[in-house]
Amino acid sequence: MIRGLTKAGLGNIESDEQYITSAAQYGFGAVDLNPLSYVQTYGLEQAVYLLESNKVIIGSSDLPVEWRTSDEQFRNGLKTLTAMAEASAALGVDKCCTYILPSTDQPAASFMAAATKRLRLCADILDAFGIRLGLEFVGCHHLRTQWKNPFIWRVEDTLDWINTIHAPNVGLLVDSYHWHTNGLEMNELLKLRREQVVHVHINDAYDLPIEELKDGERLYPGEGVIDLRGFLKNLKTIGYNDVVAQEVLAPEAELDVETRFAKSKAGFDLVFEC
């Protein structure tokens, strides 16, 4: 598997160039970033050079479409999605991901009906460029009641929804924090098939009852109580050999960027044996 990063937990990174070169310096082989803005900033030739010269790939990008609100907002984002998919294909990026909030102010049934159509269309656009779409279930208990109506937070329900979306390039983004806040044992990862997993996030949790864990209060790998070695071992067992990207959503601490990269490396060194 490939050590990867998201920008979450890394502080105020000045540029994608700094992000890529620092990732390489600290032993990471992948970064998650927006391929479209990256190419627009550096031009395609320089964008490719920065990645290749540092031996870094782009692991995944965020879905740039607002599929959770109005039809108008959704339609307005489709042009950006196509442009991002073109940039992704030019850079060899084959994954794009989005998260599912576990509650909504909209009636759950009508929200699911609209979201199913929208995500199917997004998946079709991405598939034309050879890109998979990963859906991330969010397990944190406080978000299950943040809005009026409960929605989806369990892996089984997410897989059922993926079957309903019925697009061959849609699968899961598996996040160790959300796996943990769902109360799932690491050996339950063995129930997944390799083709169901699009992308992986890794982070750690405080030693608290899972009902008390907050989405924005995560730890670097190796600093908490999640069995991340078991997490990675079981992903490897099912055949996952792609990017594992750190995502540490946490209150801002007074650490400089280099210290955060060093903490990230130290965390991976503790748990990453693949």
Side-chain angles (χ1 to χ4, degrees):
M1 288 188 274
I2 302 168
R3 296 186 183 206
L5 293 168
T6 71
K7 291 182 179 179
L10 294 180
N12 186 25
I13 299 173
E14 294 180 358
S15 66
D16 284 338
E17 181 175 3
Q18 180 192 20
Y19 183 30
I20 292 165
T21 57
S22 293
Q25 177 185 346
Y26 285 94
F28 292 91
V31 294
D32 286 10
L33 56 76
N34 184 324
L36 178 58
S37 63
Y38 176 56
V39 169
Q40 288 173 336
T41 300
Y42 295 95
L44 180 59
E45 184 177 349
Q46 179 66 8
V48 171
Y49 173 77
L50 279 174
L51 292 169
E52 291 185 347
S53 62
N54 286 285
K55 298 181 180 179
V56 170
I57 64 171
I58 299 175
S60 181
S61 63
D62 292 334
L63 184 69
V65 178
E66 183 44 81
W67 56 270
R68 303 173 188 88
T69 55
S70 69
D71 285 338
E72 181 181 7
Q73 285 185 296
F74 173 70
R75 287 192 298 269
N76 288 341
L78 291 177
K79 186 179 293 187
T80 301
L81 175 60
T82 301
M84 193 208 71
E86 290 176 344
S88 296
L91 295 170
V93 184
D94 61 359
K95 296 185 290 296
C96 177
C97 297
T98 189
Y99 58 88
I100 307 163
L101 291 172
S103 61
T104 175
D105 279 337
Q106 302 178 50
S110 59
F111 175 67
M112 175 172 277
T116 299
K117 294 176 184 177
R118 293 169 184 173
L119 289 174
R120 184 183 297 131
L121 178 55
C122 291
D124 288 345
I125 292 169
L126 292 169
D127 194 39
F129 293 89
I131 300 169
R132 297 193 71 195
L133 175 61
L135 303 185
E136 179 181 24
F137 56 93
V138 174
C140 300
H141 288 242
H142 69 107
L143 294 177
R144 300 180 191 183
T145 55
Q146 181 75 34
W147 296 276
K148 292 179 183 177
N149 302 304
F151 192 55
I152 286 175
W153 60 78
R154 301 193 318 148
V155 61
E156 297 92 342
D157 295 333
T158 310
L159 288 170
D160 285 344
W161 193 23
I162 288 170
N163 288 334
T164 302
I165 294 169
H166 197 61
N169 60 323
V170 181
L172 294 171
L173 189 169
V174 179
D175 184 299
S176 59
Y177 198 80
H178 298 312
W179 197 266
H180 179 68
T181 54
N182 263 289
L184 294 167
E185 299 292 335
M186 289 308 161
N187 61 10
E188 293 182 78
L189 280 163
L190 299 174
K191 297 177 183 178
L192 296 176
R193 302 190 306 275
R194 167 64 185 95
E195 62 269 19
Q196 292 175 312
V197 181
V198 172
H199 196 43
V200 173
H201 284 168
I202 191 172
N203 34 61
D204 220 328
Y206 287 99
D207 187 8
L208 293 170
I210 59 173
E211 296 82 5
E212 297 178 19
L213 292 170
K214 301 292 191 266
D215 193 46
E217 298 178 0
R218 308 187 196 186
L219 297 171
Y220 290 83
E223 291 185 342
V225 297
I226 301 178
D227 177 15
L228 294 177
R229 289 187 178 182
F231 180 75
L232 295 170
K233 176 183 177 182
N234 289 333
L235 284 169
K236 184 177 181 181
T237 297
I238 67 170
Y240 186 82
N241 60 354
D242 211 321
V243 176
V244 176
Q246 175 185 276
E247 186 188 48
V248 181
L249 305 179
E252 287 296 319
E254 293 186 7
L255 299 174
D256 60 37
V257 171
E258 291 302 311
T259 301
R260 292 170 188 253
F261 273 98
K263 279 175 65 68
S264 301
K265 180 185 185 302
F268 270 77
D269 287 346
L270 281 173
V271 304
F272 208 87
E273 299 177 348
C274 305

